[in-house]
Structure formats: C-alpha cells, structure tokens
Amino acid sequence: MTLVQKNPEEDNNLTPSGNVNFSGVEYTQDDSSNDTTSSTILKASVTEIVSGPLPHPRLLKEYDNVIANGAERIMAMAEKEQDNRIKGDIETREVNSRIAFEELQIKRAGQGIALVIILLIFGLVVLFTFTGHETVAIVLLGIGIAGIISAFMGLGSSKKKSKE
C-alpha cells in the first residue's frame, strides 16, 4: 500500500480504480504484486472532542441504558450546578459592591475631615497674621500646604507603600 497526496479537485468517495480518500490523503493498493490471495484492510478511527459540562448525546443515551433515568439525572445535576454558579456570582457581585460603597464612604469622610482641618489651619493663619505673629502663621501655613501636597500625591498612603 502506498501513500499519495490527494488532489483537491477529487472527491472523498471510493474511486473506480479502487482508491479510497480520507481527509486529504489518498490510500491506494499497490497492484504490482501478482499475489491474488492478498487482501488489503483499511482501518480508520474517528476522534470526537466534546467540551462542556455535559457529555455527548450518544453517551447520555448510554447512561440511560446503564442507569434508570441516567441522562435525566445528569441534566438535573448540570442545571443545579449552573444555578449554584449563577447564585455564587450574584453573591460575589453584591459583596464587591458593598465593599466599594464602604470604601467610598470612608474616602468621603476623610475628605470631610481634611476640609475641616484645612479651614482650621487657614483660620489660625489669618488670626496669627492679624495679631502680629507672622512667623507662627508662616510655619503653620507651610505645614498646611505640605500636608495638602502630600495628600494629593499620596505620600502618606500606607496602601501604596505596601503594594510597592
């Protein structure tokens, strides 16, 4: 038996010359031998790949033959697993939403406290300036501005330091 590449214009059926074509490869029987008792056996195998939570429908049918209502039980199991997965996804989204909302509330509270502190510092700067304590006012203003800059740049954030 010899292996010959198939011509793409030929079909995949049995040809009159006794050639059999399989997936682009042509198998032919070598007629050069004069032995009339020899025979050629061609074997072919098929591989099916099924992906997903359920087996192939033919296998489901076989489960019915082995176990009473086997296919129905497998389908019920797959449906129950899918319902549990969807329920878990919904719960995860709800928890993540609550966490994000709580973080937002904490940030807003921090911003409110920062606003109060800044207003207090600027009020004290104005008070010290008008009472003749310009040096204290300048130091207090410098500390306030340094605090604002570090807050905007995230220099005081412990989360950023721990991620690095």
Side-chain angles (χ1 to χ4, degrees):
M1 181 174 278
T2 59
L3 182 64
V4 181
Q5 286 295 325
K6 177 187 172 192
N7 185 352
E9 291 146 9
E10 294 178 5
D11 60 347
N12 284 336
N13 298 327
L14 185 63
T15 61
S17 64
N19 300 335
V20 181
N21 298 324
F22 292 104
S23 304
V25 177
E26 182 179 319
Y27 296 92
T28 61
Q29 183 174 355
D30 189 7
D31 294 331
S32 63
S33 69
N34 292 330
D35 189 4
T36 58
T37 61
S38 69
S39 63
T40 302
I41 299 173
L42 294 176
K43 294 183 179 180
S45 65
V46 176
T47 302
E48 290 182 3
I49 299 173
V50 178
S51 176
L54 295 175
H56 193 277
R58 281 188 297 227
L59 289 175
L60 281 175
K61 196 176 207 180
E62 292 295 322
Y63 279 113
D64 266 343
N65 293 338
V66 175
I67 302 170
N69 289 334
E72 180 64 33
R73 291 169 61 185
I74 290 173
M75 294 295 286
M77 179 183 64
E79 290 169 353
K80 185 177 179 182
E81 190 275 333
Q82 183 182 20
D83 290 341
N84 285 337
R85 187 169 19 93
I86 290 171
K87 183 180 175 184
D89 289 346
I90 290 171
E91 289 174 355
T92 301
R93 275 190 236 120
E94 288 174 353
V95 167
N96 288 340
S97 176
R98 261 186 283 148
I99 290 171
F101 181 73
E102 289 172 1
E103 285 179 357
L104 184 62
Q105 284 182 324
I106 291 170
K107 286 181 181 181
R108 284 186 180 162
Q111 289 173 346
I113 292 170
L115 178 65
V116 168
I117 291 173
I118 288 172
L119 291 176
L120 180 66
I121 288 174
F122 283 128
L124 289 174
V125 166
V126 169
L127 177 71
F128 286 134
T129 303
F130 286 124
T131 58
H133 299 91
E134 291 86 13
T135 309
V136 176
I138 291 172
V139 170
L140 194 56
L141 184 63
I143 292 172
I145 290 175
I148 292 171
I149 291 173
S150 67
F152 277 114
M153 295 187 66
L155 298 177
S157 174
S158 61
K159 284 185 179 180
K160 287 191 177 187
K161 288 181 183 177
S162 64
K163 286 182 181 178
E164 292 174 0

